[in-house]
Amino acid sequence: MSHEDVNPGAAPTLDQARKQIARYGLEADPQAVLVAVRLMAAGARLDRASEVHFARSGLSTGRYRLLVDLEDGDGEKSPSQLAKSLGVSRATVTGLVAGLEREGLVARRASTEDGRGAVVVLTARGSRRLHDMAADHFARLEALVGGLAADERGLFLDLLERITQRIGALTAE
Amino acid sequence: MSHEDVNPGAAPTLDQARKQIARYGLEADPQAVLVAVRLMAAGARLDRASEVHFARSGLSTGRYRLLVDLEDGDGEKSPSQLAKSLGVSRATVTGLVAGLEREGLVARRASTEDGRGAVVVLTARGSRRLHDMAADHFARLEALVGGLAADERGLFLDLLERITQRIGALTAE
DNA sequence: CGGAAGTAATTAGCAAGCTAACTATTTGAT
DNA sequence: ATCAAATAGTTAGCTTGCTAATTACTTCCG
Protein backbone atom coordinates (compact mmCIF):
# COMPACT_ATOMS: atom_id res chain seq x y z
CA MET A 1 0.00 0.00 0.00
CA SER A 2 1.15 3.51 -0.65
CA HIS A 3 1.01 6.56 1.53
CA GLU A 4 -1.83 8.18 -0.42
CA ASP A 5 -4.83 9.03 1.70
CA VAL A 6 -7.75 7.72 -0.18
CA ASN A 7 -9.66 10.84 0.77
CA PRO A 8 -13.33 9.85 0.59
CA GLY A 9 -15.37 11.39 -2.23
CA ALA A 10 -12.29 13.38 -3.02
CA ALA A 11 -12.60 16.39 -5.25
CA PRO A 12 -10.41 15.70 -8.25
CA THR A 13 -7.13 17.57 -8.54
CA LEU A 14 -5.55 19.59 -11.29
CA ASP A 15 -2.94 16.87 -11.64
CA GLN A 16 -5.55 14.24 -12.24
CA ALA A 17 -7.12 16.38 -14.93
CA ARG A 18 -3.74 16.93 -16.54
CA LYS A 19 -2.93 13.22 -16.48
CA GLN A 20 -6.19 12.28 -18.09
CA ILE A 21 -5.85 14.82 -20.84
CA ALA A 22 -2.31 13.71 -21.50
CA ARG A 23 -3.33 10.06 -21.51
CA TYR A 24 -5.68 10.69 -24.38
CA GLY A 25 -3.28 12.99 -26.18
CA LEU A 26 -5.68 15.92 -26.12
CA GLU A 27 -5.21 19.65 -26.08
CA ALA A 28 -7.86 20.54 -23.50
CA ASP A 29 -7.16 23.10 -20.80
CA PRO A 30 -6.74 21.16 -17.55
CA GLN A 31 -8.05 24.01 -15.47
CA ALA A 32 -11.23 24.32 -17.50
CA VAL A 33 -11.77 20.59 -17.20
CA LEU A 34 -11.14 20.78 -13.51
CA VAL A 35 -13.75 23.48 -13.06
CA ALA A 36 -16.34 21.40 -14.90
CA VAL A 37 -15.57 18.23 -13.00
CA ARG A 38 -15.49 19.96 -9.64
CA LEU A 39 -18.78 21.66 -10.27
CA MET A 40 -20.37 18.36 -11.18
CA ALA A 41 -18.96 16.71 -8.10
CA ALA A 42 -20.12 19.58 -5.92
CA GLY A 43 -23.56 19.42 -7.45
CA ALA A 44 -23.90 15.73 -6.72
CA ARG A 45 -22.70 16.11 -3.13
CA LEU A 46 -24.95 19.07 -2.53
CA ASP A 47 -27.89 17.17 -3.94
CA ARG A 48 -27.43 14.36 -1.52
CA ALA A 49 -26.84 16.63 1.44
CA SER A 50 -29.94 18.49 0.46
CA GLU A 51 -32.01 15.31 0.55
CA VAL A 52 -30.75 14.57 4.02
CA HIS A 53 -31.50 18.10 5.12
CA PHE A 54 -35.09 18.04 3.87
CA ALA A 55 -35.68 14.53 5.12
CA ARG A 56 -35.55 15.93 8.64
CA SER A 57 -38.75 17.78 7.96
CA GLY A 58 -40.29 14.75 6.34
CA LEU A 59 -39.80 16.17 2.87
CA SER A 60 -37.51 15.66 -0.08
CA THR A 61 -35.84 18.35 -2.12
CA GLY A 62 -38.44 17.97 -4.85
CA ARG A 63 -41.37 18.11 -2.47
CA TYR A 64 -39.99 21.15 -0.71
CA ARG A 65 -39.46 22.97 -3.95
CA LEU A 66 -42.99 22.18 -5.01
CA LEU A 67 -44.44 23.56 -1.78
CA VAL A 68 -42.40 26.73 -2.07
CA ASP A 69 -43.45 27.15 -5.65
CA LEU A 70 -47.07 26.96 -4.59
CA GLU A 71 -46.57 29.42 -1.78
CA ASP A 72 -44.71 31.81 -4.06
CA GLY A 73 -47.76 31.86 -6.29
CA ASP A 74 -51.31 32.26 -5.10
CA GLY A 75 -51.18 28.94 -3.32
CA GLU A 76 -52.43 26.97 -6.29
CA LYS A 77 -51.16 25.83 -9.65
CA SER A 78 -51.75 23.10 -12.19
CA PRO A 79 -49.36 20.15 -12.37
CA SER A 80 -48.22 21.33 -15.80
CA GLN A 81 -47.33 24.76 -14.52
CA LEU A 82 -45.52 23.20 -11.61
CA ALA A 83 -43.56 20.93 -13.94
CA LYS A 84 -42.52 23.92 -15.99
CA SER A 85 -41.46 26.13 -13.13
CA LEU A 86 -39.71 23.34 -11.26
CA GLY A 87 -38.00 22.12 -14.39
CA VAL A 88 -39.11 18.51 -14.00
CA SER A 89 -41.41 16.28 -16.02
CA ARG A 90 -45.14 16.15 -15.46
CA ALA A 91 -44.80 12.53 -14.42
CA THR A 92 -42.46 13.61 -11.65
CA VAL A 93 -44.96 16.21 -10.49
CA THR A 94 -47.62 13.53 -10.32
CA GLY A 95 -45.40 11.57 -7.98
CA LEU A 96 -44.46 14.53 -5.81
CA VAL A 97 -48.06 15.64 -5.49
CA ALA A 98 -49.15 12.10 -4.62
CA GLY A 99 -46.72 12.04 -1.72
CA LEU A 100 -47.57 15.52 -0.50
CA GLU A 101 -51.27 14.77 -0.71
CA ARG A 102 -50.86 11.63 1.35
CA GLU A 103 -49.39 13.82 4.09
CA GLY A 104 -52.07 16.46 3.72
CA LEU A 105 -49.64 19.21 2.75
CA VAL A 106 -51.34 19.75 -0.55
CA ALA A 107 -54.77 19.00 -2.03
CA ARG A 108 -55.90 18.27 -5.56
CA ARG A 109 -59.03 19.57 -7.21
CA ALA A 110 -60.31 19.16 -10.74
CA SER A 111 -59.96 22.32 -12.77
CA THR A 112 -63.19 24.20 -13.35
CA GLU A 113 -62.00 25.65 -16.64
CA ASP A 114 -60.41 22.66 -18.28
CA GLY A 115 -61.92 19.22 -17.99
CA ARG A 116 -58.52 17.60 -18.39
CA GLY A 117 -56.81 19.74 -15.86
CA ALA A 118 -56.19 19.56 -12.15
CA VAL A 119 -55.23 22.15 -9.60
CA VAL A 120 -52.84 21.58 -6.74
CA VAL A 121 -53.57 23.65 -3.64
CA LEU A 122 -51.31 24.32 -0.69
CA THR A 123 -53.14 23.36 2.50
CA ALA A 124 -52.86 25.15 5.82
CA ARG A 125 -50.86 22.20 7.02
CA GLY A 126 -48.52 22.54 4.08
CA SER A 127 -48.06 26.21 4.71
CA ARG A 128 -47.40 25.55 8.38
CA ARG A 129 -44.78 22.99 7.50
CA LEU A 130 -42.91 25.55 5.42
CA HIS A 131 -43.06 28.06 8.22
CA ASP A 132 -41.85 25.54 10.76
CA MET A 133 -38.85 24.73 8.62
CA ALA A 134 -37.99 28.25 7.61
CA ALA A 135 -35.70 29.45 10.37
CA ASP A 136 -33.53 26.37 10.39
CA HIS A 137 -33.56 26.03 6.63
CA PHE A 138 -32.45 29.55 5.85
CA ALA A 139 -29.88 29.51 8.59
CA ARG A 140 -28.30 26.45 7.01
CA LEU A 141 -28.33 28.00 3.58
CA GLU A 142 -26.59 31.03 5.00
CA ALA A 143 -24.06 28.83 6.73
CA LEU A 144 -23.31 27.08 3.47
CA VAL A 145 -22.31 30.36 1.89
CA GLY A 146 -20.93 31.89 5.05
CA GLY A 147 -17.34 31.45 3.93
CA LEU A 148 -17.80 34.08 1.24
CA ALA A 149 -17.83 37.83 1.74
CA ALA A 150 -20.74 39.76 0.26
CA ASP A 151 -18.83 40.86 -2.81
CA GLU A 152 -17.52 37.36 -3.36
CA ARG A 153 -21.06 36.08 -3.37
CA GLY A 154 -22.01 38.46 -6.13
CA LEU A 155 -18.98 37.40 -8.08
CA PHE A 156 -19.74 33.76 -7.58
CA LEU A 157 -23.32 34.23 -8.73
CA ASP A 158 -22.11 35.88 -11.87
CA LEU A 159 -19.58 33.19 -12.68
CA LEU A 160 -22.00 30.39 -11.88
CA GLU A 161 -24.60 31.96 -14.09
CA ARG A 162 -22.18 32.13 -16.97
CA ILE A 163 -21.44 28.46 -16.61
CA THR A 164 -25.02 27.28 -16.20
CA GLN A 165 -26.02 29.14 -19.32
CA ARG A 166 -23.87 26.68 -21.17
CA ILE A 167 -25.10 23.49 -19.63
CA GLY A 168 -26.79 22.87 -22.94
CA ALA A 169 -23.35 22.46 -24.52
CA LEU A 170 -22.98 19.17 -22.67
CA THR A 171 -25.88 17.62 -24.49
CA ALA A 172 -26.13 19.71 -27.66
CA GLU A 173 -26.09 18.41 -31.22
CA MET B 1 -52.80 35.44 -16.65
CA SER B 2 -49.96 37.81 -16.04
CA HIS B 3 -47.11 38.81 -18.29
CA GLU B 4 -44.53 36.73 -16.41
CA ASP B 5 -42.74 34.25 -18.60
CA VAL B 6 -42.93 30.97 -16.82
CA ASN B 7 -39.30 30.42 -17.74
CA PRO B 8 -38.83 26.67 -17.54
CA GLY B 9 -36.64 25.40 -14.74
CA ALA B 10 -36.06 29.03 -13.95
CA ALA B 11 -33.19 29.94 -11.71
CA PRO B 12 -34.71 31.69 -8.73
CA THR B 13 -34.30 35.44 -8.47
CA LEU B 14 -33.10 37.70 -5.72
CA ASP B 15 -36.63 39.01 -5.38
CA GLN B 16 -38.00 35.58 -4.78
CA ALA B 17 -35.43 35.00 -2.09
CA ARG B 18 -36.30 38.32 -0.49
CA LYS B 19 -40.00 37.58 -0.57
CA GLN B 20 -39.57 34.22 1.06
CA ILE B 21 -37.39 35.55 3.81
CA ALA B 22 -39.84 38.37 4.44
CA ARG B 23 -42.76 35.98 4.48
CA TYR B 24 -41.27 34.08 7.35
CA GLY B 25 -40.12 37.20 9.14
CA LEU B 26 -36.48 36.18 9.11
CA GLU B 27 -33.25 38.11 9.05
CA ALA B 28 -31.37 36.01 6.50
CA ASP B 29 -29.28 37.66 3.80
CA PRO B 30 -31.19 37.25 0.54
CA GLN B 31 -28.06 37.15 -1.54
CA ALA B 32 -26.51 34.39 0.52
CA VAL B 33 -29.71 32.41 0.23
CA LEU B 34 -29.79 33.03 -3.47
CA VAL B 35 -26.26 31.72 -3.90
CA ALA B 36 -27.16 28.52 -2.06
CA VAL B 37 -30.35 27.96 -3.96
CA ARG B 38 -28.80 28.71 -7.32
CA LEU B 39 -25.94 26.35 -6.67
CA MET B 40 -28.34 23.60 -5.74
CA ALA B 41 -30.42 24.22 -8.83
CA ALA B 42 -27.32 24.30 -11.01
CA GLY B 43 -26.09 21.09 -9.46
CA ALA B 44 -29.33 19.29 -10.18
CA ARG B 45 -29.47 20.51 -13.76
CA LEU B 46 -25.88 19.63 -14.38
CA ASP B 47 -26.44 16.19 -12.95
CA ARG B 48 -29.21 15.47 -15.37
CA ALA B 49 -27.38 16.93 -18.34
CA SER B 50 -24.42 14.83 -17.36
CA GLU B 51 -26.52 11.66 -17.44
CA VAL B 52 -27.73 12.53 -20.91
CA HIS B 53 -24.18 13.24 -22.03
CA PHE B 54 -22.80 9.93 -20.80
CA ALA B 55 -25.80 8.01 -22.04
CA ARG B 56 -24.60 8.68 -25.58
CA SER B 57 -21.61 6.48 -24.91
CA GLY B 58 -23.79 3.88 -23.29
CA LEU B 59 -22.65 4.87 -19.81
CA SER B 60 -24.02 6.75 -16.84
CA THR B 61 -22.21 9.35 -14.80
CA GLY B 62 -21.51 6.80 -12.11
CA ARG B 63 -20.22 4.17 -14.50
CA TYR B 64 -18.01 6.65 -16.27
CA ARG B 65 -16.51 7.85 -13.03
CA LEU B 66 -15.82 4.29 -12.00
CA LEU B 67 -13.99 3.52 -15.24
CA VAL B 68 -11.92 6.67 -14.95
CA ASP B 69 -11.09 5.85 -11.37
CA LEU B 70 -9.80 2.47 -12.46
CA GLU B 71 -7.76 3.93 -15.27
CA ASP B 72 -6.30 6.58 -13.00
CA GLY B 73 -5.02 3.80 -10.76
CA ASP B 74 -3.23 0.71 -12.00
CA GLY B 75 -6.36 -0.46 -13.75
CA GLU B 76 -7.64 -2.43 -10.78
CA LYS B 77 -9.17 -1.74 -7.42
CA SER B 78 -11.42 -3.37 -4.85
CA PRO B 79 -15.08 -2.39 -4.66
CA SER B 80 -14.46 -0.85 -1.24
CA GLN B 81 -11.67 1.34 -2.53
CA LEU B 82 -13.85 2.38 -5.42
CA ALA B 83 -16.70 3.25 -3.09
CA LYS B 84 -14.38 5.39 -1.03
CA SER B 85 -12.77 7.25 -3.88
CA LEU B 86 -16.04 7.76 -5.75
CA GLY B 87 -17.83 8.82 -2.60
CA VAL B 88 -20.69 6.35 -3.01
CA SER B 89 -21.81 3.35 -1.00
CA ARG B 90 -20.45 -0.12 -1.55
CA ALA B 91 -23.90 -1.22 -2.59
CA THR B 92 -23.86 1.33 -5.36
CA VAL B 93 -20.49 0.08 -6.53
CA THR B 94 -21.88 -3.44 -6.68
CA GLY B 95 -24.58 -2.19 -9.01
CA LEU B 96 -22.25 -0.14 -11.19
CA VAL B 97 -19.79 -2.98 -11.52
CA ALA B 98 -22.59 -5.40 -12.39
CA GLY B 99 -23.65 -3.18 -15.26
CA LEU B 100 -20.13 -2.57 -16.49
CA GLU B 101 -19.32 -6.24 -16.31
CA ARG B 102 -22.38 -7.10 -18.35
CA GLU B 103 -20.99 -4.88 -21.08
CA GLY B 104 -17.49 -6.27 -20.75
CA LEU B 105 -15.93 -2.95 -19.76
CA VAL B 106 -14.74 -4.32 -16.47
CA ALA B 107 -14.05 -7.76 -15.01
CA ARG B 108 -14.23 -9.11 -11.48
CA ARG B 109 -11.75 -11.44 -9.86
CA ALA B 110 -11.58 -12.81 -6.35
CA SER B 111 -8.80 -11.23 -4.32
CA THR B 112 -5.80 -13.45 -3.78
CA GLU B 113 -4.92 -11.82 -0.47
CA ASP B 114 -8.28 -11.55 1.19
CA GLY B 115 -10.83 -14.31 0.93
CA ARG B 116 -13.66 -11.83 1.34
CA GLY B 117 -12.40 -9.41 -1.20
CA ALA B 118 -12.85 -8.88 -4.91
CA VAL B 119 -10.91 -6.93 -7.48
CA VAL B 120 -12.41 -4.97 -10.31
CA VAL B 121 -10.26 -4.80 -13.43
CA LEU B 122 -10.57 -2.45 -16.37
CA THR B 123 -10.72 -4.50 -19.57
CA ALA B 124 -9.22 -3.51 -22.90
CA ARG B 125 -12.73 -2.85 -24.06
CA GLY B 126 -13.35 -0.56 -21.10
CA SER B 127 -10.17 1.31 -21.77
CA ARG B 128 -11.05 1.66 -25.42
CA ARG B 129 -14.45 3.04 -24.51
CA LEU B 130 -12.82 5.77 -22.44
CA HIS B 131 -10.47 6.65 -25.26
CA ASP B 132 -13.29 6.75 -27.76
CA MET B 133 -15.22 9.17 -25.61
CA ALA B 134 -12.32 11.36 -24.61
CA ALA B 135 -12.15 13.96 -27.37
CA ASP B 136 -15.85 14.72 -27.35
CA HIS B 137 -16.12 14.54 -23.60
CA PHE B 138 -13.32 16.95 -22.83
CA ALA B 139 -14.40 19.30 -25.57
CA ARG B 140 -17.81 19.53 -23.97
CA LEU B 141 -16.38 20.10 -20.54
CA GLU B 142 -14.29 22.91 -21.96
CA ALA B 143 -17.33 24.36 -23.68
CA LEU B 144 -19.21 24.35 -20.40
CA VAL B 145 -16.60 26.58 -18.84
CA GLY B 146 -15.76 28.45 -22.00
CA GLY B 147 -17.58 31.57 -20.87
CA LEU B 148 -14.97 32.19 -18.21
CA ALA B 149 -11.53 33.64 -18.72
CA ALA B 150 -8.59 31.74 -17.23
CA ASP B 151 -8.31 33.97 -14.18
CA GLU B 152 -12.04 33.77 -13.61
CA ARG B 153 -11.81 30.00 -13.59
CA GLY B 154 -9.24 30.09 -10.84
CA LEU B 155 -11.42 32.45 -8.89
CA PHE B 156 -14.45 30.28 -9.39
CA LEU B 157 -12.60 27.19 -8.23
CA ASP B 158 -11.56 28.97 -5.09
CA LEU B 159 -15.03 30.23 -4.28
CA LEU B 160 -16.64 26.89 -5.07
CA GLU B 161 -14.15 25.13 -2.86
CA ARG B 162 -14.96 27.43 0.03
CA ILE B 163 -18.63 26.65 -0.34
CA THR B 164 -18.30 22.91 -0.73
CA GLN B 165 -16.19 22.74 2.40
CA ARG B 166 -19.31 23.75 4.25
CA ILE B 167 -21.74 21.33 2.72
CA GLY B 168 -21.65 19.57 6.05
CA ALA B 169 -23.40 22.57 7.59
CA LEU B 170 -26.56 21.59 5.74
CA THR B 171 -26.86 18.34 7.58
CA ALA B 172 -24.86 18.92 10.75
CA GLU B 173 -26.17 18.38 14.29
C1' DC C 1 -70.28 20.19 -36.56
C1' DG C 2 -67.23 16.13 -36.99
C1' DG C 3 -62.76 14.17 -36.87
C1' DA C 4 -57.51 14.94 -36.39
C1' DA C 5 -54.27 16.66 -33.72
C1' DG C 6 -52.69 18.55 -29.57
C1' DT C 7 -52.53 18.87 -24.47
C1' DA C 8 -53.37 17.31 -19.32
C1' DA C 9 -52.60 13.94 -16.20
C1' DT C 10 -51.56 9.40 -14.92
C1' DT C 11 -49.46 4.82 -15.18
C1' DA C 12 -45.83 1.44 -15.87
C1' DG C 13 -41.30 0.39 -16.04
C1' DC C 14 -36.18 1.84 -15.83
C1' DA C 15 -31.53 3.52 -13.57
C1' DA C 16 -28.92 5.43 -9.71
C1' DG C 17 -28.38 6.32 -5.23
C1' DC C 18 -29.34 5.06 -0.39
C1' DT C 19 -29.83 2.07 4.17
C1' DA C 20 -30.37 -2.16 6.51
C1' DA C 21 -29.80 -6.85 6.76
C1' DC C 22 -27.24 -11.04 5.52
C1' DT C 23 -23.11 -14.13 4.43
C1' DA C 24 -18.37 -15.03 4.51
C1' DT C 25 -13.99 -14.11 6.05
C1' DT C 26 -10.41 -11.92 8.84
C1' DT C 27 -8.61 -9.80 12.96
C1' DG C 28 -7.69 -9.50 17.57
C1' DA C 29 -8.15 -10.03 22.43
C1' DT C 30 -8.13 -13.23 26.09
C1' DA D 1 -7.00 -21.51 20.39
C1' DT D 2 -11.21 -19.66 20.44
C1' DC D 3 -14.85 -16.69 19.94
C1' DA D 4 -16.39 -11.81 19.45
C1' DA D 5 -16.05 -7.94 16.66
C1' DA D 6 -14.85 -5.71 12.42
C1' DT D 7 -14.77 -5.75 7.41
C1' DA D 8 -15.94 -7.15 2.27
C1' DG D 9 -19.35 -7.89 -0.70
C1' DT D 10 -24.05 -8.69 -2.02
C1' DT D 11 -29.06 -8.48 -1.75
C1' DA D 12 -33.61 -6.48 -0.96
C1' DG D 13 -36.40 -2.71 -0.79
C1' DC D 14 -36.95 2.44 -0.81
C1' DT D 15 -37.06 7.22 -3.23
C1' DT D 16 -36.44 10.39 -7.07
C1' DG D 17 -36.03 11.27 -11.43
C1' DC D 18 -36.81 9.89 -16.32
C1' DT D 19 -39.37 8.26 -20.91
C1' DA D 20 -43.06 6.08 -23.27
C1' DA D 21 -47.59 4.72 -23.46
C1' DT D 22 -52.53 5.42 -22.03
C1' DT D 23 -56.75 7.91 -21.22
C1' DA D 24 -59.47 11.89 -21.28
C1' DC D 25 -60.63 16.16 -22.86
C1' DT D 26 -59.99 20.53 -26.03
C1' DT D 27 -59.07 22.84 -30.05
C1' DC D 28 -59.12 23.76 -34.55
C1' DC D 29 -59.71 23.01 -39.40
C1' DG D 30 -62.50 21.93 -43.26
Side-chain angles (χ1 to χ4, degrees):
Chain A
M1 271 288 107
S2 80
H3 54 78
E4 322 170 42
D5 290 315
V6 176
N7 188 0
T13 66
L14 191 56
D15 258 359
Q16 284 175 303
R18 254 197 278 270
K19 263 188 245 169
Q20 280 185 44
I21 292 166
R23 178 155 60 231
Y24 306 124
L26 299 173
E27 295 298 318
D29 173 0
Q31 196 191 29
V33 168
L34 185 62
V35 169
V37 170
R38 282 266 181 92
L39 183 54
M40 288 194 201
R45 277 186 60 199
L46 200 51
D47 242 32
R48 282 188 258 147
S50 171
E51 291 302 340
V52 172
H53 164 58
F54 287 117
R56 303 171 153 194
S57 310
L59 295 175
S60 66
T61 307
R63 288 186 190 179
Y64 175 80
R65 293 213 308 135
L66 195 154
L67 290 182
V68 169
D69 200 87
L70 281 180
E71 184 152 79
D72 274 349
D74 307 335
E76 58 179 76
K77 244 177 176 181
S78 74
S80 293
Q81 290 174 316
L82 286 166
K84 227 179 290 181
S85 57
L86 297 174
V88 301
S89 71
R90 277 173 311 174
T92 297
V93 170
T94 298
L96 295 175
V97 169
L100 288 167
E101 192 177 25
R102 234 178 285 123
E103 296 196 38
L105 304 177
V106 124
R108 308 161 34 80
R109 300 185 346 237
S111 166
T112 51
E113 304 149 348
D114 187 330
R116 300 163 297 183
V119 178
V120 183
V121 187
L122 185 64
T123 62
R125 198 172 135 99
S127 185
R128 206 177 321 125
R129 180 76 124 260
L130 286 179
H131 278 73
D132 290 346
M133 300 176 57
D136 175 68
H137 174 60
F138 286 102
R140 286 178 190 276
L141 293 189
E142 275 196 296
L144 182 67
V145 181
L148 269 49
D151 59 326
E152 291 177 321
R153 288 182 210 141
L155 196 48
F156 182 78
L157 273 180
D158 172 54
L159 298 172
L160 181 64
E161 173 65 19
R162 280 155 61 197
I163 293 176
T164 53
Q165 272 172 2
R166 291 167 172 248
I167 287 181
L170 267 190
T171 57
E173 216 131 312
Chain B
M1 273 291 108
S2 80
H3 55 77
E4 319 170 46
D5 290 314
V6 175
N7 190 359
T13 66
L14 191 56
D15 257 0
Q16 284 175 304
R18 255 198 276 271
K19 263 188 246 171
Q20 280 184 45
I21 292 165
R23 178 157 59 233
Y24 305 124
L26 299 174
E27 295 297 319
D29 172 1
Q31 197 192 27
V33 167
L34 185 62
V35 169
V37 170
R38 283 265 182 92
L39 183 55
M40 288 193 199
R45 277 184 60 199
L46 200 51
D47 242 30
R48 282 188 260 146
S50 172
E51 291 302 340
V52 171
H53 164 59
F54 288 118
R56 303 171 152 196
S57 310
L59 295 175
S60 66
T61 307
R63 289 187 190 179
Y64 174 80
R65 293 213 306 134
L66 194 153
L67 291 183
V68 169
D69 200 87
L70 281 180
E71 184 152 78
D72 274 348
D74 307 335
E76 57 178 77
K77 242 177 178 182
S78 74
S80 293
Q81 290 174 318
L82 286 166
K84 228 180 287 180
S85 57
L86 297 174
V88 301
S89 69
R90 279 172 311 171
T92 295
V93 170
T94 298
L96 294 175
V97 169
L100 289 167
E101 192 176 26
R102 235 178 286 123
E103 297 195 38
L105 306 176
V106 124
R108 306 163 36 77
R109 301 185 346 236
S111 166
T112 51
E113 305 149 348
D114 187 330
R116 299 163 297 183
V119 178
V120 182
V121 187
L122 185 64
T123 63
R125 197 173 136 96
S127 185
R128 205 178 322 125
R129 180 77 124 256
L130 287 179
H131 278 73
D132 290 346
M133 300 177 55
D136 175 69
H137 174 60
F138 286 102
R140 285 177 190 277
L141 292 190
E142 275 197 294
L144 182 68
V145 181
L148 269 48
D151 59 327
E152 289 176 322
R153 288 183 209 138
L155 195 49
F156 183 79
L157 273 180
D158 172 53
L159 298 172
L160 181 63
E161 173 65 18
R162 281 156 60 197
I163 292 176
T164 53
Q165 272 172 1
R166 291 169 172 246
I167 286 180
L170 267 189
T171 56
E173 218 127 314

